[in-house]
């Protein structure tokens, strides 16, 4: 296995069962020149929910925020395939448990934020205002869920 593929398998092993990495974009944003990586995951064609379905393109992508890595902000975009049953015309797609409910955060990132002391999370995010501003509402949802609110 190539080194990059091994690295992605460590970080995204469960997702790579269903999706393949199509591309990775890197860009600088904001006055702080923060670096964003956008990883595009395309659903594998063999993930068809049933046999004898016809591929009909892709759904709108689901864009989520994932753990920052080495000071870079990570966004993941999931492109799920659409299929059609040729006999009934029914449109079918897979649903994956990728997002923490009510947020734009991956489940794993939200679970990490939920497991930490809220005061420490806020102190940590104060050091990275770009990320703090992007996830402020989502962080409130995550922390309220950890309190059972």
């Amino acid at each position: 296995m190539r080194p990059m593929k091994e690295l992605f398998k460590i970080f995204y092993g469960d997702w790579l069962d269903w999706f393949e990495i199509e591309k990775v974009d890197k860009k600088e944003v904001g006055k702080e020149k923060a670096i964003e990586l956008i990883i595009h995951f395309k659903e594998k064609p063999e993930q068809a929910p049933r046999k004898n379905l016809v591929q009909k393109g892709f759904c709108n992508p689901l864009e989520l925020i994932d753990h920052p890595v080495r000071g870079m902000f990570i966004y993941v975009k999931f492109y799920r395939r659409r299929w059609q049953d040729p006999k009934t015309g029914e449109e079918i797609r897979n649903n994956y448990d990728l997002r923490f409910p009510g947020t734009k955060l991956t489940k794993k990132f939200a679970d990490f934020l939920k497991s930490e002391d809220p005061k420490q999370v806020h102190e940590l995010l104060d050091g990275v205002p770009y990320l703090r501003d992007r996830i402020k509402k989502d962080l409130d949802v995550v922390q309220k869920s950890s309190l059972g609110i």
Side-chain angles (χ1 to χ4, degrees):
M1 193 182 279
R2 295 188 345 230
M4 278 304 275
K5 196 169 186 177
E6 288 179 34
L7 182 62
F8 279 116
K9 190 75 171 160
I10 290 168
F11 285 112
Y12 303 116
D14 49 345
W15 296 343
L16 293 176
D17 291 340
W18 310 308
F19 297 88
E20 55 196 4
I21 296 172
E22 180 180 295
K23 66 180 178 174
V24 178
D25 294 326
K26 177 182 171 183
K27 65 180 182 178
E28 288 184 356
V29 295
K31 60 185 171 196
E32 301 93 4
K33 299 286 186 199
I35 296 176
E36 289 183 350
L37 290 181
I38 302 106
I39 305 170
H40 301 261
F41 288 90
K42 185 192 294 185
E43 188 174 29
K44 294 178 179 178
E46 60 269 20
Q47 290 302 117
R50 301 193 309 244
K51 291 184 179 190
N52 304 320
L53 297 176
V54 177
Q55 288 187 38
K56 290 292 185 180
F58 291 88
C59 302
N60 290 332
L62 172 63
E63 184 174 331
L64 301 176
I65 301 169
D66 198 23
H67 290 270
V69 175
R70 296 188 64 110
M72 293 180 281
F73 306 104
I74 309 295
Y75 292 86
V76 289
K77 276 187 157 183
F78 294 98
Y79 298 84
R80 292 177 302 137
R81 293 182 184 273
R82 293 181 308 141
W83 287 276
Q84 188 173 44
D85 185 323
K87 292 180 182 173
T88 65
E90 174 188 16
E91 188 176 289
I92 301 165
R93 66 189 114 208
N94 287 318
N95 290 313
Y96 299 98
D97 194 18
L98 303 168
R99 176 194 339 216
F100 190 85
T103 73
K104 298 279 273 174
L105 305 175
T106 63
K107 278 192 75 160
K108 287 184 178 185
F109 186 32
D111 288 344
F112 165 77
L113 293 171
K114 188 163 67 166
S115 69
E116 298 298 313
D117 176 356
K119 184 178 178 184
Q120 288 179 332
V121 168
H122 282 282
E123 288 172 3
L124 174 71
L125 290 174
D126 284 342
V128 280
Y130 178 77
L131 179 61
R132 181 199 60 216
D133 295 344
R134 296 296 285 254
I135 69 167
K136 185 176 180 354
K137 290 178 185 172
D138 294 329
L139 182 60
D140 291 342
V141 170
V142 168
Q143 290 180 333
K144 285 179 182 176
S145 76
S146 68
L147 298 172
I149 298 174

